[in-house]
Structures are given as structure tokens and as C-alpha cells.
Amino acid sequence: MLPGTRIVGPYGPKTSKIALVGEAPGAEEERLGEPFVGPAGRVLDTALRHVGLRRQDCYITNVMQVRPPRNDFGTFYHGTQPTPELLEGIERLGQELAQVKPNVIVA
């Protein structure tokens, strides 16, 4: 984990049939410790309302639980190769989703 970063864990019921997965938290998510609460979260909330869903009905998480430096997800790569941290994040996400067992995963 990068020094000075805050882990942003998942949000929502582990019994949800819908999982929403982002790349990594942004500054607002890091500050509040919850995924999708910044500008992208507001867009997500609006989109969910338009289809008759509520945020609290979805399981929301990220591939990475820490905000990348300068909000640049590319820092989790060395050229085209994922860093060990990204590989760990992908593995954790797989385990997380295996426990939740959603019917639908929205990336």
C-alpha cells in the first residue's frame, strides 16, 4: 500500500444480486472512506434511480482499494504489465465477488 493512503472498502449488502465495480477510489472516496461518493458516485446514484434501483441495494467496490497517485490508474502498471499491487487487488476482488455471488457485475 502506498504511504499516506486510506483503504476504501466495499459498500452494500453481501447478499446483493448486483455488484458495481470501479477502478479505484478518488479523492472524495478516500476522504470519506466509501466507494463512489464523489462526482462519479453522484452520476451513479442518478443512473440507478433512473432504472429503479437504490445505492443501498447494490454491492459497490473497486479493483483497487487505494487511490492511485494523481488519480492515475496507470501507476498500477509497469508499461503493459500490472504491478504486484494490482495483481493483489484483482485477486482480492475475485475473492470478494465469489463471496457475494452477484447475478450481475457492472464494471
Side-chain angles (χ1 to χ4, degrees):
M1 183 167 67
L2 303 168
T5 58
R6 177 179 183 182
I7 291 177
V8 177
Y11 167 90
K14 291 190 176 190
T15 57
S16 178
K17 295 302 171 195
I18 300 171
L20 308 173
V21 181
E23 289 179 331
E28 192 71 3
E29 289 80 7
E30 182 180 50
R31 187 176 73 76
L32 296 174
E34 188 175 320
F36 282 92
V37 293
R42 289 188 284 283
V43 171
L44 174 64
D45 290 344
T46 299
L48 289 172
R49 276 194 304 279
H50 282 303
V51 296
L53 293 172
R54 301 174 309 157
R55 164 186 279 273
Q56 56 265 37
D57 297 328
C58 301
Y59 186 80
I60 306 173
T61 191
N62 285 297
V63 175
M64 296 300 293
Q65 292 184 322
V66 294
R67 180 167 68 109
R70 300 169 310 284
N71 276 352
D72 179 7
F73 197 81
T75 61
F76 293 121
Y77 286 90
H78 293 300
T80 60
Q81 297 301 308
T83 63
E85 294 84 11
L86 178 54
L87 293 173
E88 288 173 17
I90 293 167
E91 177 68 25
R92 179 207 38 81
L93 176 63
Q95 292 170 0
E96 197 177 318
L97 294 174
Q99 289 179 348
V100 175
K101 297 182 180 117
N103 292 339
V104 176
I105 299 171
V106 181

